[in-house]
Amino acid sequence: MGQTTLNVRMDEDLKRRFDSFCAEVGMNASVAVNLFVKTVIREQRIPFEITTAPNQETRAAIEETEKDLKSRNLKSYDDVDEMMKELLA
């Protein structure tokens, strides 16, 4: 089977740290990326969890908004200009 090249752009420090890790476990970055790709193909999924779980600050904002929605402690606007005028006052 023929070989091809995959070019990936990343932060220089991240690449240095990745190369260092790979060396510690006895491989190079090319071998590590090939292992990743083969696992994705074999399992038909990304082999680790990818989540959009909100951080603590975002969770707090969501909880505050949910509380406001339940208490109906929100003001609505029919006009964006009206809203901006009040927000900037």
Side-chain angles (χ1 to χ4, degrees):
M1 187 177 291
Q3 297 283 307
T4 189
T5 301
L6 172 67
N7 292 314
V8 178
R9 298 189 60 77
M10 69 175 65
D11 178 79
E12 188 176 327
D13 183 56
L14 183 63
K15 170 72 164 69
R16 182 189 52 74
R17 292 169 44 205
F18 183 62
D19 286 339
S20 177
F21 168 80
C22 288
E24 286 180 35
V25 297
M27 67 177 80
N28 61 36
S30 182
V31 170
V33 170
N34 272 288
L35 285 171
F36 171 76
V37 170
K38 288 177 182 180
T39 301
V40 168
I41 299 303
R42 183 180 66 248
E43 296 181 10
Q44 290 295 293
R45 67 179 191 89
I46 302 295
F48 47 82
E49 184 177 356
I50 299 174
T51 180
T52 58
N55 62 27
Q56 187 174 4
E57 182 181 359
T58 303
R59 279 194 303 272
I62 291 169
E63 290 170 9
E64 181 181 346
T65 301
E66 288 173 343
K67 188 175 15 171
D68 286 343
L69 285 169
K70 287 179 185 173
S71 69
R72 303 216 184 269
N73 189 26
L74 299 173
K75 182 173 182 178
S76 63
Y77 296 89
D78 294 323
D79 183 284
V80 173
D81 292 329
E82 175 189 343
M83 178 188 73
M84 292 305 295
K85 184 177 177 182
E86 187 171 318
L87 286 172
L88 297 173

